[in-house]
Amino acid sequence: MEHSEHFDNLKNAMVALEKDDVISITAEGLEVGIEPLEIIENGLLPGLKTIGEMFEDEEIFLPELMQSAQIFQGAMDLLQPKIQEMGTDVKKKGTVVIGTVKGDMHYIGKNIVKLLIETSGFDVHDLGVDVDPFAFIVKADEVNADIIALSALLTTTLIGQKDVIEALEGQGKREKFKVLLGGGAVTKAWADEIGADGYAENGYGAVKLVKSFIA
Ligand code: B12
């Protein structure tokens, strides 16, 4: 089977919310030697994107949206160990505190970014979802972090990123940490407006930026 056909099948199975098919096609992809990150980028994520559009158009509703996230996670359970095996850097390059901001429960993208930063040789402390702005700072101080990475998927929770930057400023710690933003609702313009140090559209961009911050 051509790789493109494999990706199409995976995307279609994701959109149809066929969990067993998503898992078996993902496993087949690994068996025939497709890179795990390619499976994510070219099969699973396009599927989720379509699901998001269907939700917006009211073709599907919240239960289906929740189901899509569970199915995605099932595929990630197969892919994650393979991605971790690829991480060859043993010397720690720096420390990152990551989380999804207050009021926001989306974690799929944040987890991908975490995985990629980790496998690039960084220590990553994940605070999970719905994280209070001050909790980011407390953790960053505790682990002597270099970078605070903030994910936001909803236009209504973007403000949580600004809250972290303002809290840092309020405590006189803005210069102590680089602040990196990402997530579906974030734009470069927003990152510039609130004075973040960087914005990345995807996991690869995130890795590039954290490396540049440390260099
Ligand atoms: C799955 C999903 C859910 C799941 C989340 C499961 C989970 N635990 O994560 C559930 C069902 C819980 C959910 C709930 C809701 N959702 Co929702 N969801 C989605 C969906 C379909 C996929 C999100 C996703 O995981 N994408 C895949 C990942 C890999 O992409 P990503 O998160 O953008 O991450 C990438 C980049 O952004 C970047 N990145 C991400 N984080 C970071 C961080 C840093 C530091 C960096 C550098 C980069 C970075 O790298 C990642 C890899 O490339 C999207 C649609 C979409 N296509 O995005 C809607 C979507 C985000 N949801 C939406 C909505 C409206 C909701 C609800 C309000 C629905 C409701 N009525 O209740 C609730 C809100 C709950 C809450 N308080 O958070 C809207 C948001 C609209 C908006 N702009 O505000 C979307 C866009 C759907 C839509 N088109 O209407 N959702």
Side-chain angles (χ1 to χ4, degrees):
M1 196 196 292
E2 289 284 320
H3 285 191
S4 61
E5 197 183 328
H6 182 274
F7 298 138
D8 284 347
N9 289 347
L10 188 52
K11 179 188 166 186
N12 293 340
M14 189 72 220
V15 173
L17 300 173
E18 293 289 354
K19 180 167 188 183
D20 292 347
D21 290 351
V22 170
I23 303 296
S24 63
I25 299 169
T26 300
E28 262 167 45
L30 288 174
E31 267 164 36
V32 300
I34 306 179
E35 294 286 336
L37 288 172
E38 278 194 49
I39 297 178
I40 297 175
E41 286 288 331
N42 301 320
L44 295 169
L45 289 188
L48 266 191
K49 185 165 182 283
T50 304
I51 286 173
E53 287 159 4
M54 288 162 74
F55 177 74
E56 205 165 3
D57 295 342
E58 298 186 356
E59 289 170 43
I60 58 167
F61 298 93
L62 200 54
E64 285 89 356
L65 204 60
M66 291 170 80
Q67 211 183 332
S68 73
Q70 282 163 3
I71 295 174
F72 187 92
Q73 202 52 51
M76 279 306 289
D77 290 345
L78 288 181
L79 297 169
Q80 188 161 332
K82 303 285 172 202
I83 297 172
Q84 278 162 338
E85 277 168 23
M86 287 159 45
T88 48
D89 282 312
V90 277
K91 195 166 154 282
K92 288 293 169 207
K93 294 197 182 83
T95 303
V96 180
V97 169
I98 195 168
T100 304
V101 296
K102 188 91 199 138
D104 199 324
M105 304 295 175
H106 295 84
Y107 62 65
I108 293 175
K110 185 253 310 155
N111 286 4
I112 292 178
V113 170
K114 175 194 169 190
L115 187 61
L116 294 182
I117 295 179
E118 229 166 28
T119 49
S120 310
F122 289 79
D123 242 336
V124 185
H125 298 264
D126 184 2
L127 297 179
V129 297
D130 189 22
V131 181
D132 185 84
F134 294 100
F136 283 105
I137 303 176
V138 169
K139 191 67 184 179
D141 275 332
E142 183 195 317
V143 300
N144 199 15
D146 305 288
I147 298 159
I148 299 178
L150 306 169
S151 183
L153 269 279
L154 301 170
T155 39
T156 49
T157 57
L158 274 179
I159 198 75
Q161 297 181 326
K162 191 173 179 206
D163 290 344
V164 175
I165 291 181
E166 286 181 353
L168 283 169
E169 282 164 354
Q171 296 185 9
K173 292 177 182 163
R174 181 63 190 90
E175 301 309 317
K176 208 173 155 192
F177 310 106
K178 296 283 186 196
V179 177
L180 174 61
L181 308 186
V186 185
T187 59
K188 167 93 173 52
W190 169 251
D192 290 344
E193 186 187 322
I194 66 170
D197 297 292
Y199 154 73
E201 206 179 328
N202 55 39
Y204 297 112
V207 168
K208 232 166 119 181
L209 274 179
V210 292
K211 283 185 175 166
S212 76
F213 288 157
I214 298 300

